[in-house]
Amino acid sequence: MKTPPGASSRTKCSRELRSFCAFSCPRAKKPTCTAWFPQQEHPSENGPQMPGHGSPATSTMQVLLLTSAEDLDCTPGFQQKVFHINQPAEFIEDQSILNLTFSDCKGNDKPRYEVSSPYFKVNSDGGLVALRNITAVGKTLFVHARTPHAEDMAELVIVGGRDIQGSLQDIFKFARTSPVPRQKRSIVVSPILIPENQRQPFPRDVGKVVDSDRPERSKFRLTGKGVDQEPKGIFRINENTGSVSVTRTLDREVIAVYQLFVETTDVNGKTLEGPVPLEVIVIDQNDNRPIFREGPYIGHVMEGSPTGTTVMRMTAFDADDPATDNALLRYNIRQQTPDKPSPNMFYIDPEKGDIVTVVSPALLDRETLENPKYELIIEAQDMAGLDVGLTGTATATIMIDDKNDHSPKFTKKEFQATVEEGAVGVIVNLTVEDKDDPTTGAWRAAYTIINGNPGQSFEIHTNPQTNEGMLSVVKPLDYEISAFHTLLIKVENEDPLVPDVSYGPSSTATVHITVLDVNEGPVFYPDPMMVTRQENISVGSVLLTVNATDPDSLQHQTIRYSVYKDPAGWLNINPINGTVDTTAVLDRESPFVDNSVYTALFLAIDSGNPPATGTGTLLITLEDVNDNAPFIYPTVAEVCDDAKNLSVVILGASDKDLHPNTDPFKFEIHKQAVPDKVWKISKINNTHALVSLLQNLNKANYNLPIMVTDSGKPPMTNITDLRVQVCSCRNSKVDCNAAGALRFSLPSLLLLSLFSLACL
């Protein structure tokens, strides 16, 4: 094996180093382990370092070969089955990676090599080289070697390479070397890596499928999404050589991995072997800018917050491969507006996107800031923030929230107010100052009267627009009782103060109120005034003498009286002494009386200039007397001339008076006019009676006098004619037309005859 360029001299390996050594002569009688280490600009004092254990970043590739140390006879195939190399920053075109030793034990007649990646080849001397500069090739490569006498497969493990494949059994189908000719065919595939956004020309070869022992005239066939499934036609395979090509530009953000299948077929299209999975991995390019998708971004931080307080988090999204630096974002603040009191009020964690405060709490004083709102232009840059990375920006708005660190203060210690006695409403507005945010409870004021309001005559409320305290009179004041009032008022905020701030003397104020004397109207006492009298008392009867006094006791004024409202016109009042008497009969049943109570209003007028008036109410309760006779209902009835049921009508009685001047009522037929043998009246209850016939009558109209008497003392009687129509009732038809002629009783006819004779 050739010593890699820049390697140091051969060194015996300890047991601890064997996993990093390459056996230089696999068929030697004794195991000899040789390791090559890269030359370093500053070698370690402790001798050479193992790969991956402290080697400087500028070291060249290290090659590790593992095999058995036992004595071996010649075995066809690769003398080492597994190779390990560290993933370099880049595989360099035509630079040797390692040498492979393959022997068919027959002199190696023209060996042929095939590599699972199209970006590598094996020279005739067994040297593995890259066909072009390339970075990511996966974690494993496979090399297939074949002569007419033997073939074998070697595995190259790239330590630190990107994991782009599943298990080997899922991706590769191959047969290991045996000393006798193989009986089973094998299709060998490895993942194909294609950068996205490739330019013309197309199609271009991107990989190759190996089947060294396939029958003549057999063909390769490629299927799957991207070939014969949508999106169709992206990939195709040379049916004779197994070369896989791509026909157009790929976009990893649309499809990152294509799962294809390879098989071999005979000339008739019958599958000979496979299908075998073939994975095409689209290698990401940095073609997507970071974007902020969750805006608007608004954060809040309390004024006076300690340095390092987290305000908010801003995260951007990058559609590129999250496993690469193409989507590895770093954040920074591009601009801060305003830039006072410091151009660097905030800091953003470059990796997490957390925005924190970096100034002292004293600088975060909302009341001293030019503007409590800051706008930050936040930039997200991929490629871990390198200059070559793409960027995206968004605006973060940060509000410095107010806390209640200023107590409200009255603009002066004393306020003056005047109010007329008897008036109500706002009398003075108390003004305060507060430096806190007017939109918060730290600014809104709450006022309290703490002294001078024993009668609860005053109330104070906050004007929500101006924050002033509106002091109001809610109960009329009386100049004659007190001409002056003094109130002590305190003001606080809706929100509590912060612990280190308290309310001081400026948070209380005194209000001096002067009550102005006005000419007040006289006041009736009592009001309302109430008397009880029987209805129908004689005209001129005295009901009462009203009493009104003037509240302006210091003015010594006279009072005159007059009737203000007397709906029925029943009353009169003496203007000097206030005596009320009747001018008409009081009737409890009058429509002006409500529930036996009659209401009248009187005026008391003083002698002031201008005069003041007071109003008093008189309620007269009228006691009932039996002055209304009862009346019956109904007064008309019908009955058939051949009725079997001789009942005519049920009569009811009513009386406007009150009990006991009403029921029970007594019902009678006026005997002087009607013979008892024709009509009959029977009591049903205290208020109703039944009128019936003793025999059927001819079709006609009859007037039956009904006498009803109440229970008053003395009782009152009323006689009312009940008109009874006797009708013809045939075939369910009632005919009362022929009953128009009025029928009189026999005594009535006799009286009528005598009257006629007298006129002759």
Side-chain angles (χ1 to χ4, degrees):
M1 180 180 291
K2 295 181 180 180
T3 304
S8 62
S9 60
R10 183 179 301 174
T11 304
K12 293 283 185 175
C13 291
S14 66
R15 298 184 71 177
E16 291 78 4
L17 292 175
R18 284 187 181 177
S19 61
F20 297 96
C21 292
F23 291 92
S24 61
C25 185
R27 287 184 283 176
K29 297 296 182 180
K30 295 182 180 180
T32 302
C33 175
T34 305
W36 291 275
F37 298 91
Q39 293 179 344
Q40 305 172 14
E41 296 179 5
H42 304 287
S44 170
E45 296 178 358
N46 299 323
Q49 295 175 311
M50 292 185 293
H53 292 72
S55 300
T58 59
S59 65
T60 61
M61 183 189 316
Q62 298 123 21
V63 182
L64 307 176
L65 308 178
L66 304 180
T67 188
S68 172
E70 299 175 357
D71 294 335
L72 300 173
D73 295 329
C74 181
T75 301
F78 284 102
Q79 302 306 299
Q80 313 298 330
K81 302 296 186 184
V82 181
F83 300 85
H84 288 72
I85 67 172
N86 280 359
Q87 168 74 47
E90 187 175 32
F91 291 99
I92 307 301
E93 181 179 358
D94 291 332
Q95 179 176 309
S96 177
I97 299 173
L98 79 161
N99 286 340
L100 305 171
T101 303
F102 173 82
S103 175
D104 62 0
C105 299
K106 299 290 185 178
N108 274 9
D109 183 19
K110 297 180 181 179
R112 291 191 300 168
Y113 297 94
E114 292 178 301
V115 185
S116 61
S117 171
Y119 305 115
F120 297 89
K121 73 174 181 177
V122 178
N123 294 327
S124 59
D125 61 356
L128 177 66
V129 297
L131 295 177
R132 63 181 178 86
N133 294 349
I134 189 171
T135 55
V137 296
K139 283 194 170 183
T140 307
L141 295 177
F142 290 88
V143 180
H144 182 261
R146 182 176 184 272
T147 71
H149 305 288
E151 65 177 300
D152 197 7
M153 186 77 66
E155 180 181 357
L156 175 60
V157 178
I158 302 173
V159 179
R162 176 186 168 205
D163 187 6
I164 61 172
Q165 61 209 40
S167 66
L168 299 179
Q169 297 299 327
D170 293 336
I171 299 177
F172 297 100
K173 304 292 184 183
F174 61 90
R176 290 295 183 180
T177 304
S178 63
V180 295
R182 291 192 317 132
Q183 298 298 319
K184 184 179 180 182
R185 302 182 186 94
S186 176
I187 299 176
V188 179
V189 298
S190 69
I192 298 175
L193 287 77
I194 307 175
E196 65 174 334
N197 303 325
Q198 285 184 321
R199 298 181 180 178
Q200 295 285 352
F202 290 106
R204 62 171 68 191
D205 290 342
V206 292
K208 189 173 184 180
V209 177
V210 177
D211 189 348
S212 303
D213 200 23
R214 66 188 177 93
E216 293 184 4
R217 300 181 65 189
S218 64
K219 299 179 181 180
F220 289 102
R221 181 161 62 194
L222 189 63
T223 60
K225 183 178 180 181
V227 182
D228 57 348
Q229 300 175 23
E230 292 297 339
K232 296 180 180 180
I234 296 179
F235 302 100
R236 63 191 183 191
I237 190 169
N238 187 307
E239 61 183 17
N240 296 317
T241 65
S243 292
V244 179
S245 59
V246 64
T247 64
R248 68 186 76 163
T249 299
L250 303 182
D251 187 349
R252 190 203 70 85
E253 287 69 49
V254 177
I255 301 178
V257 178
Y258 294 85
Q259 297 290 345
L260 309 181
F261 296 91
V262 180
E263 57 186 342
T264 57
T265 65
D266 60 18
V267 293
N268 296 320
K270 181 180 179 181
T271 300
L272 298 176
E273 186 175 357
V276 176
L278 171 59
E279 188 175 56
V280 179
I281 301 171
V282 183
I283 301 174
D284 186 44
Q285 289 188 342
N286 192 19
D287 57 346
N288 288 277
R289 293 182 178 275
I291 57 174
F292 292 87
R293 301 190 299 186
E294 301 174 359
Y297 296 91
I298 300 176
H300 294 264
V301 61
M302 190 68 68
E303 64 171 330
S305 295
T307 303
T309 299
T310 299
V311 181
M312 60 190 299
R313 171 174 288 187
M314 290 188 65
T315 54
F317 168 78
D318 196 311
D320 290 320
D321 188 351
T324 68
D325 285 356
N326 295 339
L328 184 58
L329 304 183
R330 294 293 182 264
Y331 302 92
N332 83 95
I333 300 175
R334 293 292 303 272
Q335 181 180 335
Q336 171 190 300
T337 304
D339 59 358
K340 302 291 176 32
S342 168
N344 300 305
M345 299 285 289
F346 305 94
Y347 164 80
I348 188 168
D349 186 303
E351 296 183 4
K352 298 179 180 179
D354 289 337
I355 300 176
V356 299
T357 62
V358 294
V359 295
S360 66
L363 290 182
L364 277 180
D365 186 356
R366 185 189 173 282
E367 287 72 38
T368 61
L369 293 177
E370 176 183 322
N371 189 340
K373 181 174 76 172
Y374 286 86
E375 290 189 349
L376 308 180
I377 304 299
I378 305 299
E379 178 185 75
Q381 187 170 26
D382 58 23
M383 298 301 293
L386 296 178
D387 292 341
V388 296
L390 302 178
T391 62
T393 61
T395 299
T397 301
I398 299 178
M399 307 298 299
I400 311 300
D401 291 339
D402 187 38
K403 63 180 180 181
N404 199 7
D405 55 351
H406 295 85
S407 61
K409 298 178 180 179
F410 283 103
T411 56
K412 50 187 178 180
K413 288 298 296 179
E414 294 185 348
F415 293 85
Q416 306 291 331
T418 57
V419 59
E420 292 183 348
E421 64 173 334
V424 295
V426 177
I427 58 174
V428 65
N429 290 317
L430 309 183
T431 54
V432 295
E433 293 178 346
D434 196 317
K435 296 181 180 180
D436 291 315
D437 185 358
T439 64
T440 66
W443 177 81
R444 291 190 291 269
Y447 298 87
T448 307
I449 302 173
I450 59 177
N451 195 18
N453 190 29
Q456 305 301 309
S457 299
F458 302 93
E459 287 183 359
I460 188 167
H461 301 280
T462 304
N463 186 317
Q465 281 73 42
T466 64
N467 215 30
E468 295 176 346
M470 301 182 296
L471 182 62
S472 303
V473 176
V474 294
K475 292 182 181 180
L477 303 177
D478 192 339
Y479 171 84
E480 284 72 28
I481 296 177
S482 177
F484 300 97
H485 297 268
T486 300
L487 305 179
L488 185 61
I489 298 176
K490 72 174 181 179
V491 61
E492 297 176 335
N493 288 130
E494 290 184 2
D495 292 347
L497 296 173
V498 296
D500 56 342
V501 177
S502 60
Y503 295 103
S506 298
S507 296
T508 58
T510 302
V511 181
H512 299 287
I513 303 166
T514 300
V515 182
L516 302 178
D517 187 25
V518 296
N519 186 23
E520 302 172 82
V523 178
F524 285 89
Y525 182 83
D527 190 26
M529 301 161 283
M530 294 181 288
V531 296
T532 300
R533 295 289 186 273
Q534 278 192 345
E535 63 175 333
N536 300 333
I537 60 175
S538 59
V539 175
S541 298
V542 175
L543 299 180
L544 81 164
T545 298
V546 301
N547 179 33
T549 58
D550 191 349
D552 302 309
S553 56
L554 302 179
Q555 298 184 18
H556 305 291
Q557 298 179 122
T558 60
I559 296 176
R560 295 181 62 84
Y561 300 96
S562 65
V563 176
Y564 179 42
K565 286 186 178 181
D566 180 15
W570 293 341
L571 305 176
N572 175 63
I573 189 170
N574 187 302
I576 305 300
N577 60 22
T579 299
V580 178
D581 55 13
T582 63
T583 59
V585 175
L586 306 183
D587 183 5
R588 192 198 67 84
E589 290 76 33
S590 167
F592 299 108
V593 176
D594 182 18
N595 198 24
S596 301
V597 176
Y598 180 72
T599 302
L601 300 179
F602 299 94
L603 297 179
I605 307 168
D606 66 17
S607 57
N609 186 20
T613 301
T615 302
T617 301
L618 173 61
L619 302 179
I620 306 173
T621 300
L622 296 175
E623 295 178 341
D624 184 46
V625 297
N626 194 18
D627 57 349
N628 290 278
F631 58 90
I632 64 169
Y633 59 89
T635 59
V636 177
E638 291 181 355
V639 65
C640 292
D641 56 358
D642 59 350
K644 295 181 180 180
N645 184 357
L646 298 180
S647 297
V648 177
V649 68
I650 294 177
L651 297 178
S654 182
D655 196 319
K656 293 182 180 180
D657 293 320
L658 297 177
H659 190 77
N661 297 321
T662 57
D663 61 276
F665 298 110
K666 181 180 179 181
F667 296 88
E668 297 176 286
I669 298 174
H670 196 44
K671 292 183 172 57
Q672 290 83 349
V674 180
D676 291 340
K677 62 181 180 179
V678 179
W679 304 96
K680 179 181 178 181
I681 189 166
S682 305
K683 179 179 179 181
I684 296 177
N685 55 32
N686 290 341
T687 59
H688 290 79
L690 173 64
V691 176
S692 58
L693 288 169
L694 297 177
Q695 62 187 37
N696 290 111
L697 296 179
N698 293 328
K699 182 179 178 181
N701 289 339
Y702 299 88
N703 282 337
L704 181 64
I706 302 297
M707 182 171 63
V708 60
T709 305
D710 63 23
S711 297
K713 294 186 183 300
M716 294 196 71
T717 298
N718 181 28
I719 299 175
T720 303
D721 282 342
L722 172 64
R723 183 181 182 186
V724 180
Q725 292 178 310
V726 179
C727 306
S728 174
C729 303
R730 301 289 186 272
N731 299 324
S732 302
K733 293 183 179 180
V734 178
D735 181 14
C736 298
N737 291 333
L742 187 62
R743 288 293 184 92
F744 295 94
S745 59
L746 181 60
S748 299
L749 292 175
L750 292 174
L751 289 175
L752 183 59
S753 299
L754 292 174
F755 179 77
S756 299
L757 291 173
C759 294
L760 292 176

